[in-house]
Amino acid sequence: MIVEIGHYALILSLSVAIVQSILPLLGARRGDARLMETGTIAATGGFVLITIAFSALVTAHVTSDFSVLNVYQNSQSAKPLLYKITGVWGNHEGSMLLWVLILAFFGSLVALFGRDLPAALKANVLAVQAWILTAFLLFILLTSNPFTRLEPAPMDGQGLNPILQDIGLAIHPPLLYLGYVGFSIAFSFAVAALIDGRIDAAWARWVRPWTLIAWIFLTLGISMGSYWAYYELGWGGWWFWDPVENASFMPWLAGTALLHSALVMEKRAALKIWTILLAILTFSLSLLGTFLVRSGVLTSVHAFATDPTRGVFILCILCLFIGGALSLFAMRASSLEGGGLFAPISREGALVFNNLFLTTAAATVLVGTLYPLLLEVTIGKKISVGAPFFDLTFGPLMVPLLFAVPFGPLLGWKRGDLLGAGQRLYFAAGVALAALLVTLALTSGARILAAFGFALAFWLIAGSLTDLVLRAAFLKVGWRSGLSRLIGLPRSAFGTAFAHFGLGVTVLGIITVSSFQTENITTMAPGQTVDAGGYAITFEKIVPRAGPNYEEQGALFSVRQGGVEMTTLDTAKRFYPARQTSTTEAGIWTHWFSQLYLSLGDPSADKRSVVVRIWWKPLVTLIWIGGIFMAIGGAFSLADRRLRVGAPSRRRQAVPAAVRA
């Protein structure tokens, strides 16, 4: 009965979404406040209905109701409760239901917290959001119904993909979807503004908090997904330029450009065309990611579905919204005013420079991702575009951009002083030069590229803090007064500094692990010892174990340095009978910011020894710590009192005393 309630709620939510997509738009055209208000009611009601549907699917998974096809295909009675819950979105149908739940959630947030938005703009935004919701609800109900029944009901299920039976599944997909789907609000604002014809600094002020929220979640989602693949797949890598990884990275690049462009539009009423176009493109790239994951055009560990009919449906949605939005943009672009003028050397100019490189980088990743697919479709030839292509194209684009990042906050609006900004960055330049010389000295000049990479990372880290130090004026007013001034700075200043600092930390981690990691692939038997990263690693013993729904052969390794035992590493090969699948559970020891990483291979022919891959990864955790710092920076900017969701509340006009009497 609960499953039928969920299915009915999903159908009813489609009806509500259709109402929301039409009536508020008509109200905005006619100036009818009652029709416009239906958008708020429908957005809230639709979210409640989809929440009921999602809760019904969760209940079916938790109670192991194998009469539901989705539960039978992705769950098992012996599976731990946590993975029964996370398994709800560990498959195509359930993940799409989570997708539309988050889409409805953002729409309800606009309905509830957009009270100070102009009524017509709010109505148009909710209507556009409902168009997207309607399309994906139709997609679910027609091609991906999560409530399909089985008759008769099987005794047990097939189990969840073993790779997904990890705590990372509870964190990574929801964060990623909050980022993907969050950009739909920026898209809806852009299309609504084009419909209404009102695009000004106030619009940028309204859209920027929603973009920040989506960017924060996408940053965390990508970081979590990278770390999840790093430790769960046993490959020992943190990024593989997998097409589906790229599908989440491209919206992040475009969203970062959108944030900077919206800042210029808010401050100087400039870059209107840039900002509107980036808002459309960012969500378009999110839709492209959804298509790549669920169309069957890719073979990837991240792919959810391989049904071409679903891919065609999503492709139609893709063409409808991207094509429609870009067509509307083309019709309105000529009527958009240019806004404030500024010199090339200015903060606006620096942000334009930033946007040019970010969008070019996103286009490079897009070409590298789609070119093999287009080539296969057109001439039937299969090629692989991997890390060498992206390293040679994406990397050079990032170097000038990263070098320019510390200059931006030090340049003035409208017209800046490049020489003056450079003089204020002397300390950062000194730190970068010291990093360059120390690296060359320690490696006897053999790691020239690594040395320049270190210099760039420390240039970013030191440069990101320069603006805060200068604004606090520690050298002029002393530490006590400087600290007081620092605390009084706008939170957006801390947000910029944290985000740029995190970028530098991530670059430092990437450069270090790429240049100085060591890998040792060897065959070991119990009692044997190998050296890695300055540590002696001894294979102690093999330990057979049984889990709730798997069997494993565990291997214990002791790690010593100078004869002193530092830790014990436990790694294993697991076998899941329900899926007839094996997985590798890596053993990882974190020492400060570096990690020792062990992964088991296949046993030898004599069954007494096993292949072991051992990596020493210096400063590898900085890659993900930097991502956390970037998200914290976004949170600081979002918390700035000058940047609230919606416009500032209107003050109540004073009423003359005579009237009151």
Side-chain angles (χ1 to χ4, degrees):
M1 183 64 181
I2 293 177
V3 172
E4 279 66 34
I5 291 174
H7 192 188
Y8 179 72
L10 198 60
I11 296 172
L12 194 57
S13 69
L14 173 62
S15 303
V16 173
I18 293 172
V19 171
Q20 182 186 336
S21 65
I22 298 172
L23 294 186
L25 197 64
L26 288 176
R29 296 284 291 177
R30 298 175 180 177
D32 189 327
R34 290 180 298 177
L35 282 179
M36 288 190 283
E37 187 60 24
T38 58
T40 300
I41 299 170
T44 307
F47 171 64
V48 172
L49 288 170
I50 297 175
T51 301
I52 292 172
F54 188 78
S55 300
L57 186 61
V58 172
T59 302
H61 274 261
V62 170
T63 58
S64 296
D65 184 355
F66 298 118
S67 67
V68 179
L69 178 62
N70 182 264
V71 179
Y72 166 71
Q73 291 177 336
N74 301 284
S75 190
Q76 185 190 19
S77 56
K79 193 169 66 172
L81 177 61
L82 173 63
Y83 302 145
K84 287 182 179 180
I85 297 172
T86 59
V88 173
W89 54 83
N91 59 85
H92 168 71
E93 292 81 5
S95 64
M96 281 308 307
L97 189 55
L98 177 64
W99 208 98
V100 298
L101 175 67
I102 295 173
L103 186 65
F105 171 67
F106 274 104
S108 67
L109 288 181
V110 174
L112 295 174
F113 295 101
R115 300 186 187 93
D116 294 312
L117 290 172
L121 177 63
K122 180 182 175 182
N124 287 334
V125 168
L126 292 177
V128 175
Q129 194 76 1
W131 297 348
I132 305 170
L133 184 61
T134 300
F136 278 98
L137 283 172
L138 280 171
F139 172 71
I140 291 175
L141 290 170
L142 296 178
T143 71
S144 309
N145 184 6
F147 299 109
T148 301
R149 288 282 196 181
L150 281 175
E151 184 65 37
M155 293 297 295
D156 208 344
Q158 296 177 342
L160 182 65
N161 185 341
I163 293 176
L164 302 179
Q165 295 188 38
D166 182 81
I167 187 63
L169 184 64
I171 305 171
H172 165 55
L175 287 177
L176 205 61
Y177 290 177
L178 284 166
Y180 267 167
V181 182
F183 283 124
S184 67
I185 298 296
F187 175 86
S188 297
F189 266 95
V191 174
L194 290 171
I195 293 173
D196 193 42
R198 176 181 175 177
I199 304 171
D200 51 19
W203 178 89
R205 184 182 180 86
W206 291 318
V207 78
R208 196 158 160 255
W210 299 105
T211 306
L212 261 174
I213 291 171
W215 184 86
I216 290 168
F217 282 118
L218 188 57
T219 301
L220 292 173
I222 291 173
S223 298
M224 181 63 220
S226 170
Y227 190 66
W228 179 20
Y230 168 77
Y231 75 80
E232 177 63 23
L233 298 179
W235 295 348
W238 55 273
W239 192 264
F240 301 95
W241 293 109
D242 180 283
V244 183
E245 288 178 324
N246 296 346
S248 62
F249 190 43
M250 289 184 290
W252 186 88
L253 291 170
T256 305
L258 173 60
L259 278 177
H260 292 86
S261 187
L263 176 63
V264 176
M265 186 173 171
E266 179 187 346
K267 296 289 186 181
R268 299 279 299 134
L271 303 187
K272 293 180 182 179
I273 294 177
W274 257 105
T275 308
I276 293 292
L277 184 59
L278 284 170
I280 294 171
L281 291 180
T282 301
F283 183 60
S284 298
L285 290 171
S286 296
L287 290 178
L288 178 64
T290 302
F291 168 73
L292 291 175
V293 173
R294 302 170 194 282
S295 62
V297 300
L298 294 177
T299 301
S300 167
V301 296
H302 303 86
F304 272 119
T306 57
D307 185 355
T309 59
R310 293 171 175 172
V312 171
F313 200 115
I314 296 181
L315 186 60
C316 292
I317 294 175
L318 202 68
C319 294
L320 176 65
F321 286 103
I322 298 177
L326 290 178
S327 298
L328 182 60
F329 172 79
M331 292 170 56
R332 293 285 193 179
S334 60
S335 63
L336 296 179
E337 298 178 0
L341 299 177
F342 53 87
I345 304 301
S346 62
R347 189 173 298 188
E348 297 97 323
L351 293 173
V352 170
F353 179 86
N354 166 87
N355 286 0
L356 285 172
F357 275 85
L358 284 174
T359 51
T360 304
T364 300
V365 178
L366 179 65
V367 169
T369 303
L370 296 185
Y371 178 71
L373 304 178
L374 295 175
L375 198 65
E376 183 178 355
V377 169
T378 54
I379 65 175
K381 183 179 179 181
K382 291 187 177 182
I383 66 168
S384 176
V385 176
F389 168 82
F390 292 105
D391 292 343
L392 290 173
T393 55
F394 183 82
L397 284 171
M398 288 294 100
V399 172
L401 174 60
L402 296 178
F403 177 76
V405 163
F407 284 93
L410 301 179
L411 293 173
W413 292 104
K414 194 173 182 180
R415 183 178 298 275
D417 181 2
L418 185 61
L419 179 60
Q423 290 173 341
R424 291 192 287 274
L425 287 168
Y426 276 164
F427 176 75
V431 171
L433 181 61
L436 174 69
L437 296 176
V438 168
T439 305
L440 290 175
L442 293 177
T443 61
S444 301
R447 301 276 189 171
I448 297 177
L449 290 179
F452 278 102
F454 276 120
L456 185 60
F458 280 103
W459 163 257
L460 276 169
I461 292 171
S464 66
L465 303 177
T466 299
D467 183 48
L468 293 181
V469 173
L470 291 175
R471 294 175 72 169
F474 287 106
L475 298 178
K476 292 182 179 179
V477 301
W479 286 99
R480 181 172 297 179
S481 298
L483 186 60
S484 177
R485 289 167 62 101
L486 182 67
I487 295 173
L489 290 177
R491 291 174 188 170
S492 59
F494 288 98
T496 300
F498 268 100
H500 292 173
F501 179 86
L503 182 61
V505 170
T506 294
V507 170
L508 179 59
I510 292 172
I511 296 298
T512 306
V513 75
S514 300
S515 302
F516 298 103
Q517 75 171 355
T518 62
E519 181 181 3
N520 190 354
I521 303 176
T522 184
T523 301
M524 298 181 67
Q528 290 185 337
T529 300
V530 297
D531 293 327
Y535 297 95
I537 302 164
T538 303
F539 189 179
E540 297 293 343
K541 58 182 176 179
I542 295 177
V543 184
R545 289 183 290 241
N549 61 334
Y550 61 84
E551 300 171 354
E552 73 174 16
Q553 291 290 320
L556 297 180
F557 295 81
S558 61
V559 180
R560 293 179 174 84
Q561 187 178 48
V564 178
E565 184 170 333
M566 306 294 291
T567 189
T568 300
L569 284 176
D570 187 352
T571 181
K573 276 281 190 182
R574 286 183 181 174
F575 177 72
Y576 291 79
R579 285 268 181 168
Q580 292 293 301
T581 303
S582 297
T583 64
T584 299
E585 300 299 315
I588 302 175
W589 174 54
T590 303
H591 184 60
W592 295 101
F593 298 114
S594 303
Q595 288 185 335
L596 190 64
Y597 187 112
L598 269 70
S599 177
L600 288 183
D602 296 325
S604 62
D606 59 10
K607 304 295 183 181
R608 291 183 297 177
S609 58
V610 65
V611 175
V612 182
R613 301 183 71 178
I614 305 172
W615 286 273
W616 170 247
K617 296 180 173 290
L619 303 187
V620 67
T621 59
L622 293 184
I623 296 172
W624 305 293
I625 292 173
I628 294 173
F629 270 111
M630 284 187 266
I632 291 173
F636 266 105
S637 295
L638 188 65
D640 194 304
R641 61 185 177 84
R642 300 174 300 173
L643 189 64
R644 300 301 188 200
V645 175
S649 57
R650 302 182 182 89
R651 293 183 179 179
R652 189 174 180 179
Q653 293 183 349
V655 180
V659 176
R660 289 198 301 266

